[in-house]
Amino acid sequence: MSSTPALLAAALAIAITTGAAHAAAPAKPMEKCYGVAQAGKNDCKAGAGTSCAGTSRIAYQGDAWKLVKAGTCTSIKTPKGFGSLTPKA
């Protein structure tokens, strides 16, 4: 039964190492993309009359933004055109 503590120690070491690898994984770069959020699905303030996340009143509102994967914003097509890195009028 002396191998049980050794196996437990090995399993614990593997678990700690695996957990550390996940914690060190870098976050994917994101960017604000205007004009792509559905009504009530924006990530933060969307112009006059709104306070923060989920308060946009119009789908694809030009001054409402959503976080998207960096480099994809301007290729997102909506019924009102493509996403923008700056607020739309």
Side-chain angles (χ1 to χ4, degrees), residues 11-40:
L12 183 58
I14 290 171
I16 290 171
T17 303
T18 303
H22 287 304
K28 292 180 182 178
M30 304 292 279
E31 65 189 2
K32 289 181 183 181
C33 188
Y34 293 87
V36 298
Q38 291 289 336

Side-chain angles (χ1 to χ4, degrees), residues 5-85:
L7 289 174
L8 182 59
L12 183 58
I14 290 171
I16 290 171
T17 303
T18 303
H22 287 304
K28 292 180 182 178
M30 304 292 279
E31 65 189 2
K32 289 181 183 181
C33 188
Y34 293 87
V36 298
Q38 291 289 336
K41 302 289 183 180
N42 61 301
D43 282 334
C44 207
K45 188 168 174 130
T50 64
S51 57
C52 207
T55 57
S56 62
R57 297 184 181 141
I58 303 166
Y60 315 113
Q61 187 172 324
D63 57 356
W65 59 268
K66 187 129 186 95
L67 285 176
V68 298
K69 185 175 157 187
T72 64
C73 178
T74 57
S75 65
I76 298 173
K77 186 164 175 37
T78 74
K80 292 187 174 184
F82 289 93
S84 173
L85 295 173

